[in-house]
């Protein structure tokens, strides 16, 4: 079986984990958590990092920390994982969706301004699969309308936009360290910011809003969204190897491009844009009009050939849970719908071997040509 994702542990993961066990420091109180916050936030050029239990938790905290609440509108892509929309909806706020660009698959920034109303308070940017969102127009709009920016960089560790680190654009930016991300802690996430008071608020929110002066007295509700020392130990070891991880991702992308370019019923991801080079968080492909199979059929055929795949995101405006809540009635986002209908991704984890990519390619050739 060639799984859709295999993580890679090639450094000090075991050593640092053993340190946790040997010293008994396994909870969120351990020293690796602070070090990971410091090392990772400085890697993405931010002043503060707040390590949390996962990326979705980081989004919950970000939305709450920015005081987004009932009736507020937050602009975000239709084509995304559900986490950003869920965090907004849970606070009683309203996600306002933007369709994707058909080339980068990211939110089409030219459609943002006409969706801004008096209730708009924030833009929730989600960088998707390989490319950052075109940030300059967003920064301009945010300034013009005095909107907050939350940046979901869960798929973008080490990616840059015009040479500037992804994760350095939001008032609050978040990362995930799930095992399919560029670096992993098993489960894990981090908020990063340059704003000290926001960082302190995030620290409080992830820790049940305990106050230092009087333990067990609470002025606000938080969560237990703490990251453990065990997770941070793995994170530090992974971060030491991040440049190698990124190089590996790019070499996987390059090899797939070379091997698959002659199959004319699939469209391959862009290699670069004017502002970034593809980081290939996943290697997504689109079945174009020449393809006689549906995504479901291809996924099934590949599974029978022991190749793991994933379909693309299911757009937010089609989600049964949001429809039930009365959101997005009669809204259409044709590019997001097309991506979901025609797109899926191939095995592209950090642990994948060239032989495995060759096998995936030859099966695709056999099936599609
Ligand atoms: C993975 C991911 C998340 C969620 O992170 P978890 O750690 O799995 O909760 C959020 N946003 C995007 C864009 C992601 O890819």
């Amino acid at each position: 079986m060639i799984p859709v994702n295999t993580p890679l542990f090639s450094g000090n993961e075991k050593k640092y984990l053993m340190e946790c066990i040997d010293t008994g420091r396994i909870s969120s109180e351990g020293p690796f958590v602070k070090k990971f916050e410091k090392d990772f936030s400085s890697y993405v050029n931010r002043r503060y990092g707040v390590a949390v239990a996962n990326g979705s938790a980081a989004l919950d905290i970000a939305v709450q920390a920015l005081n987004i609440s009932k009736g507020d509108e937050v602009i975000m892509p239709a084509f995304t994982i559900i986490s950003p929309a869920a965090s907004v909806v849970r606070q009683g706020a309203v996600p306002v969706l933007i369709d994707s660009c058909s080339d980068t698959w990211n939110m089409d920034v030219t459609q943002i301004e006409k969706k801004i109303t008096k209730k708009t308070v924030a833009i929730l940017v989600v960088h998707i699969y390989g490319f950052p969102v075109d940030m300059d127009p967003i920064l301009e709009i945010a300034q013009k309308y005095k909107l907050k920016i939350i940046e979901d960089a869960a798929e973008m560790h080490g990616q840059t936009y015009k040479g500037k680190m992804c994760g350095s654009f939001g008032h609050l930016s978040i990362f995930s360290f799930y095992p399919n991300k560029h670096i992993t802690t098993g489960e894990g996430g981090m908020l990063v910011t340059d704003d000290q008071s926001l960082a302190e608020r995030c620290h409080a929110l992830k820790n049940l809003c305990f106050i230092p002066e009087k333990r067990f007295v609470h002025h606000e509700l938080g969560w237990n969204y703490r990251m453990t020392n065990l997770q941070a130990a793995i994170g530090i070891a992974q971060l030491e190897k991040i440049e190698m991880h990124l190089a590996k991702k790019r070499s996987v992308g390059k090899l797939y491009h070379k091997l698959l370019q002659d199959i004319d019923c699939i469209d391959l991801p862009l290699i670069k844009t004017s502002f970034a080079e593809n980081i290939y968080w996943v290697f997504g492909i689109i079945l174009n009009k020449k393809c006689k199979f549906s995504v479901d059929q291809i996924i099934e055929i590949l599974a029978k050939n022991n190749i793991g795949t994933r379909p693309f995101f299911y757009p937010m405006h089609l989600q049964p849970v949001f429809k039930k809540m009365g959101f997005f009635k009669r809204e259409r986002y044709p590019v997001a719908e097309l991506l979901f209908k025609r797109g899926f991704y191939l095995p592209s984890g950090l642990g994948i071997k060239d032989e495995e990519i060759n096998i995936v390619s030859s099966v695709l050739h056999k099936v599609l040509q």
Side-chain angles (χ1 to χ4, degrees), residues 231-289:
Q231 291 164 291
I234 298 176
I236 290 167
Q238 291 266 299
L239 185 57
E240 290 169 354
K241 294 280 181 175
I242 193 165
E243 294 311 326
M244 183 266 278
H245 285 200
L246 301 176
K248 167 83 196 201
K249 279 284 186 186
R250 288 203 154 109
S251 86
V252 168
K254 213 179 241 173
L255 183 54
Y256 269 130
H257 260 287
K258 185 174 134 214
L259 295 173
L260 301 180
Q261 62 182 349
D262 61 325
I263 304 181
D264 60 353
C265 67
I266 59 176
D267 296 339
L268 302 182
L270 281 189
I271 293 171
K272 60 179 178 177
T273 65
S274 60
F275 48 77
E277 278 180 43
N278 201 331
I279 201 171
Y280 301 107
W281 172 59
V282 294
F283 195 88
I285 62 179
I286 305 278
L287 302 175
N288 64 31
K289 286 197 189 91

Side-chain angles (χ1 to χ4, degrees), residues 53-57 59 80-81 83-84 126-128 152-155 174-178 180-181 187-189 281 313:
N54 56 68
S56 305
L59 285 163
T80 170
I81 189 168
S83 308
V126 187
H127 309 297
I128 305 279
D152 181 344
E155 304 172 1
I174 74 99
F175 288 88
S176 162
F177 306 115
Y178 190 72
N180 62 358
K181 315 293 181 178
E187 299 283 351
W281 172 59
F313 294 134

